[in-house]
Amino acid sequence: VSLLPPQITRAIEEFQKLPGIGMKSAERMVFHLLRSTRGSPETLGAALTGLKANLHYCVQCQMVTTKERCDICEDPSRDATTILVVEEPLEVIAFERTQYKGVYHVLHGVLSPIDGMGPEQLKVRELVDRCAAGGTSAEGMPKVGGIAEVIVATDPDVEGEATASYLREKLKNLVPKVTRLAHGLPMGADIEFADQVTLKGALDGRRSL
Ligand SMILES: [Zn+2]
């Protein structure tokens, strides 16, 4: 039997559903919110309530945006012939801190059969369609305005490598070049948290898949 009022127990339970948050952290957060003068439960609640409002995926690259197409896809100064494929939206932000000037495609996950993540759960079909629409001509040359290179920047772990191999097979006949980030990144690294020098090195040293 909980000695805590039910609304506190419920808030603790909700925090515990978040990744990496255990019972102790959840309790600390809830009691912090109850005492805090800087952030209130109401402002946190309001931020979360509005979180999904008017938010969707860019029709082209699947980045989160409030518009039909994101700012990067809409920017005419970007090199639309090069697509950098990442697992999560936050990795786009990480690569934006490098000198990368191409465009992106966000998969929203990686292949992971034990987690029930197959190609259907990822934005793979959207990537294939995108490459097929603007890929290579019958002569193997990039179509005008087409895709010249797809850089696969999934994390260098088991799922990331499996996803890269899968994408290579799907894309190799659609685009002239499919490359993979160089292994300046240690195996098991998380791209989202890599520093910009490491990321730029990995990007510059990319190799053919
Ligand atoms: Zn976009």
Side-chain angles (χ1 to χ4, degrees):
V1 177
S2 176
L3 295 173
L4 293 168
Q7 63 266 52
I8 293 186
T9 310
R10 171 150 185 250
I12 291 171
E13 284 168 2
E14 288 301 317
F15 274 109
Q16 274 189 274
K17 293 176 187 170
L18 298 172
I21 305 297
M23 169 86 106
K24 285 279 159 232
S25 303
E27 289 171 350
R28 267 210 313 276
M29 288 180 188
V30 170
F31 280 97
H32 173 82
L33 281 170
L34 286 173
R35 283 188 302 258
S36 175
T37 49
R38 280 180 52 220
S40 72
E42 286 75 21
T43 53
L44 177 64
L48 295 178
T49 301
L51 186 60
K52 284 190 170 179
N54 193 29
L55 198 70
H56 45 90
Y57 296 151
C58 169
V59 291
Q60 180 156 284
C61 74
Q62 314 300 322
M63 178 64 174
V64 283
T65 176
T66 54
K67 292 174 281 187
E68 193 185 354
R69 283 157 59 94
C70 71
D71 288 337
I72 295 172
C73 288
E74 283 288 284
D75 182 351
S77 75
R78 306 290 297 221
D79 170 15
T81 68
T82 304
I83 299 177
L84 183 63
V85 180
V86 295
E87 296 177 17
E88 303 292 347
L90 280 177
E91 290 160 2
V92 170
I93 308 302
F95 279 105
E96 283 297 282
R97 293 193 286 262
T98 69
Q99 307 292 308
Y100 180 68
K101 283 291 163 233
V103 292
Y104 296 92
H105 191 93
V106 183
L107 291 173
H108 293 281
V110 273
L111 293 179
S112 179
I114 51 166
D115 299 316
M117 294 296 280
E120 300 302 312
Q121 279 70 46
L122 307 176
K123 301 292 183 186
V124 168
R125 189 178 47 77
E126 289 80 356
L127 176 62
V128 171
D129 288 351
R130 210 175 151 187
C131 292
T136 40
S137 69
E139 297 81 37
M141 299 297 288
K143 285 181 197 163
V144 176
I147 310 300
E149 179 176 2
V150 172
I151 307 165
V152 182
T154 49
D155 285 340
D157 52 20
V158 175
E159 292 84 8
E161 295 298 340
T163 306
S165 302
Y166 178 82
L167 291 179
R168 196 231 6 233
E169 285 308 306
K170 291 296 247 187
L171 301 177
K172 65 180 181 187
N173 295 324
L174 295 175
V175 289
K177 204 152 66 157
V178 181
T179 55
R180 178 97 174 97
L181 284 194
H183 278 289
L185 293 162
M187 192 70 181
D190 200 330
I191 283 180
E192 185 185 326
F193 301 113
D195 66 275
Q196 67 188 74
V197 176
T198 305
L199 271 190
K200 185 167 188 323
L203 194 53
D204 291 344
R206 64 187 183 269
R207 58 192 159 73
S208 268
L209 257 180

